[in-house]
Every structure is written in C-alpha cells, then in structure tokens.
Amino acid sequence: MITVADILALPAFEQVQAITRCAGAGAREVRNVGILDCAPDQDNGYLAYIPGEFIVTNLGFARDDSELSERSLLVLIARGVSGIALKKVYRPIVSEHVIAVAEEAGVPLFLYDGAYHEVVAYQALDLIHRDRRESDKGRILDNLLSGHDPQATRAALYELAGTTGSTMQCIAAAPRSLDECSLYATFDALVAVLTDFERDWDVVEATFVFRYHGALLTFVSYAQPPAGVRTRSEGDLVARMRTAGSVSLGVGEETPLSDGDMSVREALAALKTAQVENEDVVTWADLHHDAFRAAAYEGRLFWRTAALHRAMLEEYDDAHGTELAATAEAVARAYGDVRLAGEALHQHPNTVRYRLRKAKDVLGMPDSPDREFTFLLGLVYLDHTNPLLHS
C-alpha cells in the first residue's frame, strides 16, 4: 500500500508544509495521483477524481479568485481524495473554511515547492506500480508461510530473492512512524546497506529486500560460513541497517535454506515485539516465553482447545454475573502470582483465590493443585497474553 507519506517523500517534493492537522494523515492510502488544472464546473464536478486519489495543483486557473479556489478545494475534499498538495508558485488561496472542512473530513492539505505536476505524477505512479509488484511478491511469501514444504520453500525463496546458498537469515524492518518516514524511502536505504554488506563479506552469497505488508524483509543468503563468522556478520548487518533511518528491527535466526520460512516467521514475530515494546532491535533469542507462544500459534488444534476452555468460563460468567474469565486471564498474565493478579484486578488476593476455586469447578478440575491449574491457564490464555498477536 502506498501512503501519503510515501508520496511526499518523492524527490519531486523539495519542501512540504502541512496546513491542516489531520491525525494519521501520512498513513492514508493513495490509490492514484491526479493533476487539478480546471474549475469544477468545467469538469463535471470533478467526478473523474476517485476516492483515495492524491491531487497536485497550483490552482493557477483560480489565481487571485478566492471564491473559485475555495469552491474547487471543497469539491475535491467531498470526493474523498487522500490528500491535496498545492504548489506555491501562484500563491494559492486556502481559506480558513477550507482548512476546517478538510480537517473534519481527515483530508490533509499541503503547500509545496518542487517539480512540475507532471514530474510529481510520473514519480508517484511509478511508485504505485512498484508497490503492486512488491505486493505480488508478498503473495508468494503468504503462500510460503501457509505451510512447510522444503522443496517449495527453496523454490519460493529463489523466486523472491534468487537465493541459492547453504543457509539464510531474515531480518524484518519497519519505520518507527510512517507519518514521518516513508516505507519506500527506508526500502531504498536498506538496498544500499545490503549492497555494501554483500560486497564486504565474502561469506554472503546474496542479499535481497522487499516489502511485505507494512514491513520490509531483508534476506541474507550465506555460502557455508565458518563457525562464528555469521555471528560477527549479523552484528555488522544490524548496525548498518540501523543507519537506514528510524527503524525497528526483528532478527530471525540463520536456518538451512529449506527452512527459510522459519527465519521469516521468527523475524516477523521479533519485529512485532520490537514495535509493541518500542525497541530498536529484538532478536528471536530475546523473546524467551514469547518465542514459545509464537511457535505454538502455528497449531490450529491447540488454539481451538484454548478457545473451548475460555468459552466455558465466559459462559459461566454470563449466566452468573461472575468474573472468572478475567481473573483466570490475570493469573495467566502474572504467571500464577496471585498477589500480582489481584493488583491488576484491584482485588484482594483472597478474592482471586476464591474465583480460581470456582474456575476449577467450571473446568472440571476441582481437585487439581494450584500449580497444575495455573499452568493450564497459561496455555488457555496463551494468545491473550502474547504481544506478538496484537498491534
């Protein structure tokens, strides 16, 4: 997906000034780019402009005509465009009323200095086409992650990245804020980093980066490296990638090429934790309990069983006005520490113990020791306590 931030990061924009305050403006999707060069009554009310289209204009047709400028901008905003960039060459007139309507609709307005509209449109449409090609690669990876077949994994990784080495490693990256940093600007910076890295390390067979949903996946394919070399090269690569801008990194483990999907899963899980915890770099080895949670998430039967147990507690709560499910989840989050669970629930520990006894009855385990029961609750609420599964 191309966003307003991606468009504004194009070289054609030299200086950009936001004149509206719209939350999440940079993350708005851009489906097309259009040039506005005539009044709405000359263009059938701007019906040619589609919702989600980013508009560039200098309002030259409305020069010094504040009423026509206001009317034109209001019609565009009503069309649901993703944003409007006004080239400052003719000092376009933007009224306070237009700004208020744009902010209410969430449509950001910008003043800019830079290239001609045609250059902006060419660069933007090229970026949109590039993004579509990257989306095709993402679908290949989606298929790869839907199951595990060593031969299919090798074939998919070769199609994506041309990897033929003995082992591979995936590192996932994402800009800290898409409002401030374009995904594709980071993409290009990472390409330069990987090119230099591949040149400087003889053990590296190939490198590659592509967009996968809101992240950038970097692949490093290694010829069989001597023991210890990969550890040093990984540290060097991570350090270099951090120079690509304000990014969060999730580092998967090096795996045989036929198990490359595992490194991708690890990198994505580590990246999610880095984003949740606002960390610069998280490796798979850093995840500890969360690594097991992420691994267990691949088992559909496991999660069906966990959902069944949760439903039993929730149905009892609905019928009796109790809070057994919330208490059980709090105990799971606290790894069985009743005092910590009580603090989270603002309840006395004895209240928590009483509710746990009731929960044992509901789940048919009245005589189970507390340690056994809290272990079960850890499994039942594994996805609820897993930061890797929630934004």
Side-chain angles (χ1 to χ4, degrees), residues 147-181:
H148 178 64
D149 179 321
Q151 290 302 113
T153 297
R154 282 182 172 273
L157 290 173
Y158 180 77
E159 184 177 357
L160 282 170
T163 52
T164 59
S166 174
T167 64
M168 69 146 286
Q169 182 178 24
C170 179
I171 300 179
R176 287 295 189 94
S177 172
L178 288 179
D179 280 344
E180 300 173 3
C181 181

Side-chain angles (χ1 to χ4, degrees), residues 117-171:
H117 303 332
E118 292 78 9
V119 176
V120 173
Y122 174 81
Q123 291 182 359
L125 292 173
D126 183 64
L127 183 63
I128 290 171
H129 294 152
R130 176 184 177 186
D131 183 69
R132 288 171 182 163
R133 293 192 295 272
E134 292 296 321
S135 296
D136 291 340
K137 296 173 185 175
R139 284 188 284 273
I140 294 172
L141 188 59
D142 282 335
N143 291 334
L144 173 63
L145 297 179
S146 65
H148 178 64
D149 179 321
Q151 290 302 113
T153 297
R154 282 182 172 273
L157 290 173
Y158 180 77
E159 184 177 357
L160 282 170
T163 52
T164 59
S166 174
T167 64
M168 69 146 286
Q169 182 178 24
C170 179
I171 300 179

Side-chain angles (χ1 to χ4, degrees), residues 150-151 153-155 157-159 161-169 198 202-208 219-225 254-260:
Q151 290 302 113
T153 297
R154 282 182 172 273
L157 290 173
Y158 180 77
E159 184 177 357
T163 52
T164 59
S166 174
T167 64
M168 69 146 286
Q169 182 178 24
E198 183 177 346
D202 292 338
V203 295
V204 175
E205 181 264 339
T207 59
F208 187 74
F219 292 114
V220 179
S221 176
Y222 293 94
Q224 191 66 49
E254 180 189 10
T255 66
L257 194 59
S258 58
D259 288 332

Side-chain angles (χ1 to χ4, degrees), residues 58-70 89-94:
N58 57 25
L59 289 181
F61 61 88
R63 188 173 182 179
D64 299 326
D65 187 337
S66 59
E67 187 278 332
L68 179 55
S69 294
E70 179 171 293
V89 60
Y90 295 132
R91 298 180 181 177
I93 301 170
V94 184

Side-chain angles (χ1 to χ4, degrees), residues 7 12 17 44 57 70 86 110 127-129 153 177 244 247-248 310 346 372 388:
I7 299 298
Q17 172 192 353
N44 198 25
T57 182
E70 179 171 293
L86 302 153
F110 306 92
L127 183 63
I128 290 171
H129 294 152
T153 297
S177 172
V247 294
S248 297
R310 291 197 302 270
H346 306 291
E372 177 186 342
L388 308 183

